[in-house]
Amino acid sequence: MQKPLLEPVLYLTIVLWPVFWLMTWLSYFNGSLYITVELSGFTGTETRGQLSFAGLLSALGSPSVLARGTLGMLKFDETDTLATINVPVLVMCGASDIATKPVASDRMKAELPYSERVTLKPGGHMALMEQNEQFAEAVSTFCAGCS
């Protein structure tokens, strides 16, 4: 799907970004953007304020910039670099993240020489926001172990 569908749509988004941005803002104002943000980023434990904030962030993001970033991610591979990182690394993921799958965190943990992996449950792509107390505790514990 990447070559025949996703990449052409991303290039089209770069060219027609004003149209896509207008559609995003229309969906923000009519409320339908919140459905997309909730389904793609959260697991149902978010607060109304967290959902509202994430929805606004989604509307503010330039479709052209997001499309360029996605195209860049499709080609990005720093797997060989991981083994050369010689500082402690905390790898965090949401248990139900559909954008950056937990299996990718497993791979990073396996390749990083000094790493710890924490899974935020329940948590989607916005687990940092949705499970902010778990996140803060994990960071605090990790940092205490580094000193």
Side-chain angles (χ1 to χ4, degrees):
M1 282 184 42
Q2 178 182 328
K3 292 287 182 192
L5 181 66
L6 185 57
E7 288 185 19
V9 168
L10 290 169
Y11 284 112
L12 186 64
T13 301
I14 292 167
V15 174
L16 298 176
W17 70 267
V19 174
F20 284 91
W21 212 349
L22 176 62
M23 292 183 335
T24 300
W25 277 104
L26 289 173
S27 69
Y28 173 79
F29 288 122
N30 74 23
S32 62
L33 180 63
Y34 293 108
I35 297 168
T36 305
V37 168
E38 182 171 18
L39 293 175
S40 66
F42 293 104
T43 59
T45 62
E46 74 281 354
T47 66
R48 186 179 184 107
Q50 290 168 338
L51 182 59
S52 179
F53 181 70
L56 179 60
L57 284 179
S58 293
L60 290 171
S62 165
S64 178
V65 171
L66 294 170
R68 289 172 195 272
T70 302
L71 285 166
M73 284 189 295
L74 293 173
K75 297 172 184 153
F76 186 80
D77 183 4
E78 286 297 323
T79 306
D80 294 338
T81 305
L82 294 175
T84 68
I85 299 173
N86 293 316
V87 295
V89 176
L90 178 59
V91 179
M92 282 223 201
C93 67
S96 303
D97 192 336
I98 62 172
T100 51
K101 303 269 187 193
V103 69
S105 296
D106 292 337
R107 174 76 186 275
M108 290 173 65
K109 165 74 174 102
E111 300 285 335
L112 287 160
Y114 308 104
S115 64
E116 180 181 327
R117 183 182 183 280
V118 173
T119 303
L120 301 174
K121 298 177 189 174
H125 192 61
M126 303 299 277
L128 152 71
M129 189 184 308
E130 188 175 15
Q131 300 301 334
N132 55 68
E133 290 178 11
Q134 276 185 52
F135 177 82
E137 179 62 33
V139 171
S140 180
T141 301
F142 179 76
C143 290
C146 290
S147 55

